């Protein structure tokens, strides 16, 4: 596509239209992507009406091209999914996700090809097996966008949502690699065993090299972030371009002809690494800004893909009415093969008990809710327009025929399957029942309402509201507070006191994570110490979420799920050990950080518990958890004091540097206060830092 003034206008009109569709989807409670495709389908005939064509005819100038989809849109979608994926949660279901994304996809592609190869001749369409296999690879990858949006609205178990999202993330690369291998065979010809073995080798090497390239480039970007993490603009820019840099570099390697790399897998691995390893060291403000920016970019790209897909379907020139029978047959075959592909993986996996079983209701939903979307559109458009094979006799080219089948399957999943997902979930009794989450929400909700009640009294005392309005608003808040307290009482009756011990312990972990991140940003702990403590907190959080908070090992800080940390440590291990002085400082950092974290956690819940006339937390839970953390604080303080007494001379320079950094943090807080109250602009801030901050403001 050559960008012209009309195509540029069409681009921004479509983005504006997608925002209108988004609001409409929320109002009418319809899946957003479904509504986008529907609007796209209607847009072409509407704008081509005689009295509208001269005004809105430019919409046709913006078209989906393979280059636009492949090099611009696809990396954004892959990166957003991988960057926000929790690797530890995904590894809890590693077997089912990996088997669904590889074995299930291959089974689906082959079974679709086999059935279509035998059925299509019965309705007068000779479909060579290689074309059927090509279609199997195109239509087998799943798209979770519409499904996950429905899951968020009605609530599902977190593991089920993770299986859907993890499968979709990983099967994109598998599907693309399989498609490219099959397309290569279709273009060069089939030579028996040699072709089969060569295809398997190429498929395997594309995946392996994709993983290697992804890790290598992610390591380069991660190293760059070590130098730029204090500058949010440079950091965000590096991470935003990383997806396209990895993807396009992989494609350049492919174009060299030396080796073939899966650019999708390379980008996926890089996104997982950057999101689960490098992201942890970013300052909270940068992380929050980056997360929103990536989410917004993915929203715009997804909106354009699905909206323009509707435009593409409506203006493709393929006679869908003439092809209605093969399309209907294909839709049924694809649905049946998905069912087979799911059960062929989950049944043996449940029998072997390698991880938590997949319930029968989940298996049914995995089979039904496997919608197709963006990747299938991208893949089918990669087929050359002049592509043909021996034995093809249809009046349509193989590309147009496969496009028609792909469009039919996508529309069927969006307009038939998607609207029925929620009713099927209700029938299967799939819902989120998380007592810990409910208990946590109850505690925090009560604190929120107590704060509201206190502020109301403050407003009344200051004369902001009159007595009549105060009484009405107070009655409403008290009613909500009574309901929240009653809900908490019911949770205690159903699940026992321990669920609120877990909830409060979880709150402490969240406070500790926030504190250790601040200590890293303020240079009060090294990255190595930070990663040890952060990993330890992640392990403890998982124990709490699994109702095993009494089994927490306070010394444990790593396990098999710390994939990227272990990989980095393995790579760096040959380059030498820390000096005795560095080890001593690290131990000091560790004890001091543990003491500060425990102290801040105790202060936080103590403030929440004692600020109001009614306690926020259940007294028994508060006493148990606060007492435990006070012991943590005392032990860490004692260890730190003993370490300083034994190594006063060696630690003296370090302690002096620590004092200077703490002073710099106090200065930064003073500048933040001036900013919040409008007393300072950026230029004056730099001037004050240069004049008064330690080391001229270079903290």
């Amino acid at each position: 596509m050559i960008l012209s003034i009309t195509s540029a206008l069409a681009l921004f009109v479509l983005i504006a239209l997608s925002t209108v569709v988004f609001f409409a989807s929320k109002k009418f409670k319809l899946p957003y992507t479904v509504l986008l495709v529907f609007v796209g389908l209607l847009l072409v005939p509407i704008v081509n009406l005689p009295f509208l064509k001269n005004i809105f005819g430019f919409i046709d100038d913006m078209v989906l091209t393979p280059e636009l989809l492949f090099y611009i849109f696809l990396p954004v979608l892959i990166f957003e999914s991988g960057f926000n994926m929790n690797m530890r949660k995904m590894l809890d279901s590693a077997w089912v996700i990996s088997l669904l994304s590889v074995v299930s996809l291959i089974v689906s592609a082959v079974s679709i090809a086999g059935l279509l190869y035998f059925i299509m001749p019965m309705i007068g369409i000779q479909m060579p097996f290689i074309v059927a296999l090509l279609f199997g690879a195109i239509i087998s990858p799943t798209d979770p966008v519409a499904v996950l949006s429905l899951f968020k609205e009605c609530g599902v178990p977190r593991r089920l949502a993770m299986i859907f999202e993890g499968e979709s993330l990983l099967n994109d690369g598998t599907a693309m690699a399989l498609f490219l291998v099959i397309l290569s065979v279709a273009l060069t010809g089939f030579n028996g065993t040699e072709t089969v073995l060569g295809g398997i080798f190429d498929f395997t090497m594309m995946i392996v090299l994709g993983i290697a390239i992804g890790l290598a480039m992610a390591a380069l970007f991660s190293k760059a972030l070590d130098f730029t993490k204090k500058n949010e603009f440079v950091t965000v820019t590096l991470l935003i371009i990383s997806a396209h840099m990895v993807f396009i570099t992989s494609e350049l390697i492919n174009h060299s002809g030396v080796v073939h790399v899966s650019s999708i897998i390379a980008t996926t691995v890089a996104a997982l690494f950057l999101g689960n390893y490098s992201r942890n060291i970013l300052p909270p403000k940068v992380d929050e800004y980056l997360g929103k920016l990536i989410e917004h970019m993915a929203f715009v790209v997804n909106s354009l893909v699905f909206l323009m897909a509707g435009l593409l379907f409506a203006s493709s020139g393929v006679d869908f009415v003439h092809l209605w029978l093969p399309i209907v047959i294909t839709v049924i075959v694809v649905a049946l093969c998905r069912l087979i592909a799911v059960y062929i993986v989950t049944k043996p996996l449940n029998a072997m008990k390698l991880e938590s079983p997949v319930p029968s209701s989940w298996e049914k939903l995995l089979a039904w809710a496997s919608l197709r979307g963006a990747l299938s559109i991208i893949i089918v458009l990669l087929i050359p327009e002049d592509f043909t094979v021996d034995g093809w006799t249809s009046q349509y080219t193989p590309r147009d025929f496969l496009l028609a089948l792909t469009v039919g399957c996508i529309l069927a999943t969006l307009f038939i399957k998607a609207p029925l997902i929620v009713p099927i979930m209700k029938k299967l009794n799939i819902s989120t029942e998380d007592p810990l989450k409910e208990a946590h929400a109850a505690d925090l909700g009560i604190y929120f309402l107590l704060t509201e009640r206190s502020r109301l009294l403050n407003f009344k005392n200051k004369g902001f509201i009159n007595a009549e309005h105060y009484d009405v608003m107070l009655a409403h808040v008290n009613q909500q507070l009574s309901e929240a307290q009653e809900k908490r009482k019911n949770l205690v009756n159903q699940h026992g006191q321990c669920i609120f011990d877990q909830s409060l312990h979880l709150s402490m972990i969240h406070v500790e994570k926030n504190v250790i991140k601040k200590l890293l940003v303020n240079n009060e702990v090294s990255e190595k110490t930070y990663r040890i403590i952060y990993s330890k907190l992640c392990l403890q959080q998982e124990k709490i979420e699994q109702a095993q908070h009494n089994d927490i090992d306070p010394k444990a800080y790593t396990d098999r799920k710390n994939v990227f940390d272990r990989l980095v440590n393995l790579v760096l291990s040959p380059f030498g050990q820390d000096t005795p002085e560095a080890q001593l400082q690290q131990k000091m950092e560790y004890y001091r950080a543990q003491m500060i974290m425990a102290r801040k956690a105790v202060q936080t819940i103590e403030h929440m518990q004692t600020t109001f006339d009614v306690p926020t937390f259940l007294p028994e839970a508060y006493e148990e958890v606060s007492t435990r953390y006070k012991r943590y604080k005392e032990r860490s303080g004692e260890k730190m004091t003993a370490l300083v007494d034994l190594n006063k001379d060696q630690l003296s320079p370090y302690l002096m540097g620590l004092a200077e950094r703490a002073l710099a943090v106090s200065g930064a807080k003073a500048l933040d206060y001036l900013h919040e109250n409008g007393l300072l602009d950026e230029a004056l801030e730099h001037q004050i830092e240069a004049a008064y901050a330690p080391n001229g403001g270079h903290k």
Side-chain angles (χ1 to χ4, degrees), residues 347-453:
K347 289 303 182 185
L349 193 59
N350 286 346
M352 290 186 285
K353 299 180 180 179
L354 295 174
E355 60 188 21
S356 299
V358 179
S360 175
S361 58
W362 291 16
E363 291 174 325
K364 294 182 177 70
L365 192 65
L366 281 166
W368 178 263
S370 56
L371 308 187
R372 270 58 173 190
L375 188 68
S376 294
I377 298 169
I378 293 170
I379 294 178
V380 75
L381 291 179
L382 292 177
I383 299 174
E385 292 186 10
D386 59 352
F387 169 72
T388 188
V389 294
D390 293 337
W392 185 258
T393 58
S394 173
Q395 67 186 79
Y396 301 101
T397 66
R399 184 181 189 268
D400 286 345
F401 183 72
L402 294 182
L403 176 62
L405 297 186
T406 303
V407 169
C409 288
I410 291 174
L411 294 180
T413 60
L414 291 177
F415 294 125
I416 298 175
K417 281 191 168 186
L420 294 175
I421 288 175
V422 174
I424 288 174
M425 287 172 56
K426 291 179 179 178
K427 185 174 180 61
L428 295 174
N429 197 27
I430 297 176
S431 61
T432 176
E433 184 176 337
D434 190 341
L436 176 59
K437 187 176 180 180
E438 292 179 24
H440 197 56
D443 277 343
L444 299 184
I446 288 172
Y447 174 75
F448 172 82
L449 292 169
L450 289 172
T451 303
E452 290 288 285
R453 191 166 71 174

Side-chain angles (χ1 to χ4, degrees), residues 170-190:
L170 298 184
N171 74 12
D172 286 355
T174 308
M176 181 62 79
L178 184 62
F179 166 79
L180 292 175
V181 169
I182 296 170
L183 182 62
S184 175
V185 173
L187 292 172
T188 59
F190 181 75

Side-chain angles (χ1 to χ4, degrees), residues 237-313:
T237 302
L238 278 176
L239 285 168
I240 291 299
I241 67 170
S242 63
H244 292 88
M245 290 293 291
V246 174
F247 192 92
I248 294 172
T249 300
S250 301
E251 283 301 305
L252 286 173
I253 293 173
N254 289 335
H255 289 174
S256 71
V258 178
V259 292
H260 293 287
V261 178
S262 172
S263 50
I264 293 181
I265 288 177
T267 308
T268 300
V269 171
L272 285 169
F273 185 97
L274 293 171
N276 288 273
Y277 182 82
S278 307
R279 187 179 191 175
N280 291 338
I281 65 170
L282 298 180
K285 289 183 179 179
V286 176
D287 188 21
E288 182 181 3
Y289 173 72
L290 178 66
K292 289 180 178 179
L293 179 61
I294 292 174
E295 184 180 359
H296 184 70
M297 288 174 61
F299 166 77
V300 171
V301 168
N302 255 318
S303 300
L304 287 173
V305 168
F306 281 97
L307 189 58
M308 292 169 68
L311 293 171
L312 172 70
F313 300 162

